[in-house]
Amino acid sequence: MDTPAHDHHPPTPAQRALDALAVNTEDQAALDTLAHSDVLVPVPDDEVDGEGADTSMLALPVLEQADGDPVVPVFTSEGTMAEQLPFVSRYRLVPLGALAAQWPDEDLSLAIDGSSQHGLTLTSQGVRTLLAR
């Protein structure tokens, strides 16, 4: 029996929350679920984990959107990350609420699952007000 090219796993709680927010952006239960979910933050392959590296610090990967605005991509599953960033093989698992609580003041958006069917992009203000819990 042939296995399908894409493994379709049941959606994670974070993906279900993203789906709920696509319907109702004010869904507090979905926002709470998302804020308490762990997300995968891509780590560039050229970043070294050498001796003396501060493991409590997290370098945010910043990509440029088509309109030139900076965005930090994070993902709710390895599969989604592999589909959208196939050149990235490493990541850190980070609680989304903790990431949001330390979000930089600059105008930096957060893309959760980017262009996937579950994708949600928040402005820097949205990250701090909606997810920092």
Side-chain angles (χ1 to χ4, degrees), residues 37-62:
S37 295
D38 288 339
V39 291
L40 287 61
V41 179
V43 174
D45 287 333
D46 57 2
E47 184 177 299
V48 291
D49 293 328
E51 291 212 21
D54 185 353
T55 56
S56 68
M57 293 295 290
L58 178 66
L60 295 176
V62 179

Side-chain angles (χ1 to χ4, degrees), residues 9-133:
H9 298 285
T12 65
Q15 289 168 337
R16 285 193 297 273
L18 289 171
D19 288 342
L21 289 168
V23 175
N24 176 9
T25 57
E26 304 292 318
D27 187 327
Q28 288 303 310
L31 288 168
D32 284 343
T33 298
L34 207 53
H36 291 96
S37 295
D38 288 339
V39 291
L40 287 61
V41 179
V43 174
D45 287 333
D46 57 2
E47 184 177 299
V48 291
D49 293 328
E51 291 212 21
D54 185 353
T55 56
S56 68
M57 293 295 290
L58 178 66
L60 295 176
V62 179
L63 302 178
E64 194 171 290
Q65 297 184 92
D67 60 8
D69 289 340
V71 63
V72 174
V74 298
F75 301 92
T76 57
S77 71
E78 286 182 352
T80 304
M81 187 176 89
E83 285 175 14
Q84 296 194 24
L85 296 179
F87 53 88
V88 175
S89 60
R90 297 169 42 207
Y91 61 86
R92 283 198 167 149
L93 201 57
V94 179
L96 189 53
L99 184 64
Q102 299 174 25
W103 200 251
D105 285 336
E106 63 225 48
D107 192 19
L108 189 61
S109 297
L110 175 71
I112 305 168
D113 285 354
S115 60
S116 79
Q117 63 186 21
H118 305 285
L120 173 70
T121 300
L122 296 170
T123 64
S124 57
Q125 183 63 36
V127 171
R128 288 189 295 271
T129 57
L130 298 176
L131 299 176
R133 300 184 180 255

